[in-house]
Amino acid sequence: MKGAVLAIGTELLLGDVVNSNAAVLGKALAAAGVEVVANEALADDLPVLVAAVHRHLADVDVLILCGGLGPTRDDLTREVIAAALDAPLKRDPEIEQRLRDLFAGWGREMPDAVLAQADVPAGAETLDNSAGTAPGVWLEKDGKVVVALPGPPPELRAASTTVWPRLAARTGRVVTTRQVLVHGVGESAVAELVEPGLVLPNGVGMSYLASGGLVRVRFTTTGDPAVLDPLVAHADAALGDAVWGHDSDTVEGVVHDRLFGAGQTVAVAESLTGGALSAALSARPGASTTFRGGMVVYATDLKSSLAGVPGPLLDASGAVAPDTAAALAEGARTRLGATWGLAVTGVAGPDGQEGKPVGTVFLAVAGPTCEVLEARLPGDRDRVRALTVQSALHLLRRHLMSGKV
Amino acid sequence: MKGAVLAIGTELLLGDVVNSNAAVLGKALAAAGVEVVANEALADDLPVLVAAVHRHLADVDVLILCGGLGPTRDDLTREVIAAALDAPLKRDPEIEQRLRDLFAGWGREMPDAVLAQADVPAGAETLDNSAGTAPGVWLEKDGKVVVALPGPPPELRAASTTVWPRLAARTGRVVTTRQVLVHGVGESAVAELVEPGLVLPNGVGMSYLASGGLVRVRFTTTGDPAVLDPLVAHADAALGDAVWGHDSDTVEGVVHDRLFGAGQTVAVAESLTGGALSAALSARPGASTTFRGGMVVYATDLKSSLAGVPGPLLDASGAVAPDTAAALAEGARTRLGATWGLAVTGVAGPDGQEGKPVGTVFLAVAGPTCEVLEARLPGDRDRVRALTVQSALHLLRRHLMSGKV
């Protein structure tokens, strides 16, 4: 069963918004056993969109339309379906009533334009959208399935919950993906380590994904998932300590699970990352069991007054220095009462600092085991900040996995 | 001049990575006067990609290929260009030497696979990639331009710097976009306020973009930019105080500029956002002139021990309460030595807290003027955290714009 995703909105072509829905929909379709053959974005242009629906339906069994279900004049998806599939729009009194009730509940007067969201193509089912006003649409015609979902991500999630099980039931074919997650080794070096002696069975796909200093080795099959086990074992053996997780593991998740399992906690003192390291450690549900809190010591004087770096040390070494990083980690550990203190200080740019170039970063962990690292990180301010967060999380992860605890 | 973007990589169709390059390339092409008519992602499949290149070149003058220039077996873009445009690959000795020098400089042995990145299609120019190993490609054939750029965003930026001016010189046609940025009013209500009395001149496009609690009203023209001025003025007048900025303004940027202009600073105490509010205030270059730092008081006891909320108040009111938020803002202001203290505390979920439902958030600003707000934010944990950051930034922005300072 083949599928295509067509995201609708001139803002996507102009680059005003990032089309994150494309990834969400691709992942959901792949997991439901639908082979996604195209993922396209087109402008709010009725004839262009109608032609695209016809073009895609010539190739695929399932077409997901995303966006363009809102109340404004540039929301065309309902009209596109009506025109492309000869399914004239009819106002649904139940949806109209729900819209009126919603606005009444909010104590707001309902703009008339909102009622367009109660118009449903003939022969279509609507998909409840508990997160917004525009319901989704499921329409079957000539053996093809066309689904229209709202663009705002929370509404897309809400309106699509019933879509994926229905599609999976039709394909009866599930794609299994296994990933080996690597840190500290480049993409081509990973390939050179993994590929000797590796034999891919028929129907097994393999690829490398490199991003943000990490490399993922991915194996996929639509057959027996067990064929992937020896391949993952081969990669694990070939990559050794560079492997930090598998499949959907995140480094925050690995850190959280290790801390939780050991009944330990972490606290942060961070400078150049400005809060992003704490935000990463607090992102997942249950973070409060392992993350105490953090100090964002952006101004140099706060490194002493808030985080407790001795003034003479700070004066002598400066804000960007290994012993300052170590003192920040110790300050986080003691002042915030955690098992581990994790600290970063460095130069995010655009300009150098204390004679040190952009990308100079010192990372420190203080606790049952201690370490200070210097890193030279590539890229601009945003990238240096993002890579610093990842490097700090992996520094703590190594200590939690080292067994020295 | 029409253009298309073709992103290459099975990982994009499987949703393993978000195709953020699509927005970057769309924005750059639009600014260069190229009308982007399609933005597509396809899998690492040679025949499919060759066919797609032919299909797009039938419709457009410029085709941007993105990704697939790496060193591994699934990087096919060079072969796609060679096959689709009958431009056989030839190894470039200068690029080969640069690759050898790069790895020598890193003190790493160069895997042979890396040398594939020195293969250049016949008749193509290469585009320097100062951020990585894979150069880009610029190839002109039969009056069409085909550009191949590396997928990692920093490498894409580095390799594309010369591409946009070259394309803009050919189009001689520049698209002007003006945006009116609105906070606190829904999309359809914005439309009902703006549209009465609004007359769009020929060739002027208008659209609404709603995301993350904000609405953008966008006008575009390829003609005289001056025609947009009265439209922007009309929208400003119709929306009044709901307008907080224009065009590429960000709320962090507006806050930073107002603080900088007044010689003022801000410090943060945040709970449910776990550092994300501080990270937003420290994101832009020059943030150190207006952002002092922050306290991430995730554990309840830190709200007293680190941020100075009086213990009896915390015991009586709890962690999620208006007076606790006010005390956190005052603690940030005084303990971190800033003109303004900004604080948030609330329930991000997945579970309620102190009998309060997920999405209950208290926001406080302390300084020349003070305010405490209660918000009921929709969505899951990630969305509540993101909306809390935006709401807090807009709370401070309102105080900085109120003229009461």
Side-chain angles (χ1 to χ4, degrees):
Chain A
M1 195 156 166
K2 293 189 171 188
V5 175
L6 174 52
I8 297 171
T10 302
E11 68 274 17
L12 297 170
L13 296 180
L14 291 172
D16 287 319
V17 298
V18 171
N19 183 10
S20 59
N21 292 337
V24 171
L25 294 169
K27 197 169 282 192
L29 286 164
V34 177
E35 182 194 0
V36 182
V37 297
N39 200 324
E40 186 178 34
L42 293 173
D44 303 306
D45 180 322
L46 191 62
V48 166
L49 291 169
V50 169
V53 168
H54 289 148
R55 170 166 53 84
H56 283 295
L57 286 181
D59 298 336
V60 303
D61 311 290
V62 184
L63 175 61
I64 309 282
L65 305 175
C66 181
L69 289 175
T72 57
R73 67 164 83 170
D74 55 354
D75 290 305
L76 300 173
T77 300
R78 280 174 293 266
E79 294 165 55
V80 168
I81 293 173
L85 301 176
D86 187 22
L89 297 177
K90 187 164 175 305
R91 181 145 304 178
D92 181 312
E94 282 184 26
I95 300 174
E96 175 170 347
Q97 191 54 51
R98 174 176 175 269
L99 292 171
R100 296 190 183 281
D101 295 344
L102 275 174
F103 275 81
W106 297 330
R108 281 167 47 195
E109 198 183 324
M110 185 182 72
D112 292 339
V114 168
L115 284 181
Q117 299 179 118
D119 294 341
V120 180
E125 301 170 51
T126 57
L127 303 167
D128 292 344
N129 172 3
S130 58
T133 54
V137 173
W138 173 294
L139 179 55
E140 297 188 33
K141 189 151 189 178
D142 309 329
K144 311 275 188 175
V145 178
V146 176
V147 177
L149 297 168
E155 300 189 34
L156 181 144
R157 278 192 296 276
S160 63
T161 46
T162 61
V163 171
W164 316 126
R166 283 175 79 169
L167 292 176
R170 286 171 189 235
T171 62
R173 171 176 168 286
V174 172
V175 176
T176 306
T177 299
R178 297 290 305 278
Q179 296 194 112
V180 178
L181 309 175
V182 182
H183 180 255
V185 182
E187 181 178 9
S188 48
V190 167
E192 285 221 332
L193 286 168
V194 169
E195 299 198 358
L198 183 70
V199 182
L200 292 182
N202 275 345
V204 172
M206 174 181 186
S207 63
Y208 303 91
L209 312 177
S211 66
L214 301 177
V215 178
R216 289 184 277 171
V217 183
R218 194 185 61 223
F219 303 97
T220 57
T221 181
T222 56
D224 177 1
V227 304
L228 300 184
D229 296 341
L231 301 173
V232 170
H234 172 93
D236 284 347
L239 294 165
D241 291 347
V243 177
W244 62 269
H246 294 89
D247 303 324
S248 60
D249 286 346
T250 63
V251 62
E252 307 90 303
V254 170
V255 164
H256 171 82
D257 294 343
R258 291 269 169 169
L259 289 170
F260 189 78
Q264 299 183 336
T265 59
V266 62
V268 168
E270 56 186 313
S271 181
L272 78 159
T273 46
L277 178 55
S278 294
L281 285 164
S282 62
R284 70 182 264 148
S288 58
T289 57
T290 58
F291 175 67
R292 290 276 303 156
M295 299 178 284
V296 182
V297 288
Y298 208 66
T300 298
D301 58 291
L302 293 179
K303 294 176 175 63
S304 284
S305 62
L306 188 65
V309 176
L313 187 162
L314 193 58
D315 296 340
S317 302
V320 181
D323 47 0
T324 301
L328 285 170
E330 186 58 21
R333 190 181 70 79
T334 53
R335 295 204 166 191
L336 275 59
T339 317
W340 300 88
L342 188 61
V344 294
T345 182
V347 187
D351 304 317
Q353 183 182 338
E354 299 174 0
K356 302 182 180 66
V358 172
T360 307
V361 176
F362 294 94
L363 309 100
V365 59
T369 54
C370 297
E371 183 180 357
V372 179
L373 273 185
E374 174 170 7
R376 289 299 177 90
L377 301 174
D380 60 11
R381 179 178 175 88
D382 290 345
R383 187 159 190 237
V384 168
R385 281 163 55 105
L387 290 175
T388 300
V389 169
Q390 288 301 308
S391 303
L393 294 170
H394 277 286
L395 172 60
L396 177 58
R397 174 197 56 82
R398 278 200 291 103
H399 281 254
L400 292 170
M401 290 174 85
S402 69
K404 277 177 282 168
V405 180
Chain B
M1 194 160 167
K2 293 190 172 188
V5 175
L6 174 52
I8 296 171
T10 303
E11 67 273 19
L12 298 170
L13 295 180
L14 290 171
D16 287 319
V17 298
V18 172
N19 184 10
S20 58
N21 293 336
V24 172
L25 294 169
K27 197 169 281 190
L29 285 165
V34 177
E35 182 195 0
V36 182
V37 297
N39 200 325
E40 186 176 35
L42 293 173
D44 303 307
D45 180 321
L46 191 60
V48 166
L49 291 169
V50 169
V53 169
H54 289 147
R55 171 167 49 88
H56 283 295
L57 286 181
D59 299 335
V60 302
D61 310 291
V62 185
L63 175 62
I64 308 282
L65 306 176
C66 181
L69 290 175
T72 57
R73 68 164 81 170
D74 55 353
D75 289 307
L76 300 173
T77 300
R78 280 175 294 266
E79 295 165 51
V80 168
I81 293 173
L85 301 175
D86 188 23
L89 298 176
K90 189 163 171 306
R91 183 145 301 176
D92 180 313
E94 282 184 26
I95 299 174
E96 175 170 347
Q97 190 55 53
R98 175 177 175 269
L99 293 171
R100 295 189 183 282
D101 296 344
L102 275 174
F103 275 81
W106 297 329
R108 281 167 46 195
E109 197 182 324
M110 184 182 73
D112 292 339
V114 168
L115 285 180
Q117 299 180 119
D119 295 341
V120 181
E125 298 170 52
T126 57
L127 304 166
D128 293 344
N129 171 3
S130 59
T133 54
V137 173
W138 174 294
L139 179 55
E140 299 189 29
K141 190 148 188 178
D142 311 329
K144 311 275 188 174
V145 178
V146 176
V147 177
L149 297 169
E155 301 190 34
L156 183 144
R157 278 193 296 275
S160 62
T161 46
T162 62
V163 170
W164 316 126
R166 284 175 80 169
L167 291 176
R170 289 175 185 229
T171 62
R173 167 176 169 288
V174 172
V175 176
T176 307
T177 299
R178 296 290 304 278
Q179 297 193 113
V180 178
L181 309 175
V182 182
H183 180 255
V185 182
E187 181 178 8
S188 48
V190 167
E192 285 219 332
L193 287 167
V194 170
E195 299 197 359
L198 183 69
V199 181
L200 292 181
N202 275 347
V204 172
M206 175 181 185
S207 63
Y208 302 90
L209 313 177
S211 66
L214 301 178
V215 178
R216 289 183 277 173
V217 183
R218 195 184 62 227
F219 303 97
T220 58
T221 182
T222 57
D224 177 0
V227 302
L228 300 184
D229 296 342
L231 301 174
V232 170
H234 173 93
D236 285 348
L239 293 164
D241 291 347
V243 176
W244 61 269
H246 294 89
D247 302 327
S248 61
D249 287 344
T250 63
V251 63
E252 307 90 303
V254 170
V255 164
H256 172 83
D257 293 344
R258 291 272 169 164
L259 289 170
F260 189 78
Q264 299 182 336
T265 58
V266 62
V268 168
E270 56 187 313
S271 181
L272 77 158
T273 46
L277 178 54
S278 294
L281 286 164
S282 63
R284 66 183 266 145
S288 58
T289 56
T290 58
F291 176 67
R292 289 276 302 156
M295 298 178 286
V296 183
V297 288
Y298 208 64
T300 297
D301 58 292
L302 293 179
K303 294 175 174 67
S304 285
S305 62
L306 188 66
V309 176
L313 186 161
L314 193 58
D315 296 339
S317 301
V320 181
D323 47 0
T324 300
L328 285 169
E330 186 59 23
R333 190 182 71 79
T334 54
R335 296 202 165 192
L336 275 58
T339 317
W340 299 88
L342 187 61
V344 294
T345 183
V347 187
D351 305 314
Q353 184 182 339
E354 299 174 358
K356 301 179 180 69
V358 172
T360 306
V361 176
F362 295 94
L363 310 100
V365 59
T369 53
C370 297
E371 183 179 357
V372 179
L373 274 185
E374 174 170 8
R376 288 298 176 91
L377 301 174
D380 60 12
R381 178 177 174 90
D382 290 346
R383 187 158 191 238
V384 167
R385 280 163 54 106
L387 290 175
T388 300
V389 170
Q390 289 302 306
S391 304
L393 293 170
H394 278 286
L395 171 61
L396 177 58
R397 175 199 52 83
R398 276 199 292 103
H399 282 254
L400 292 169
M401 292 173 84
S402 69
K404 276 178 283 168
V405 180

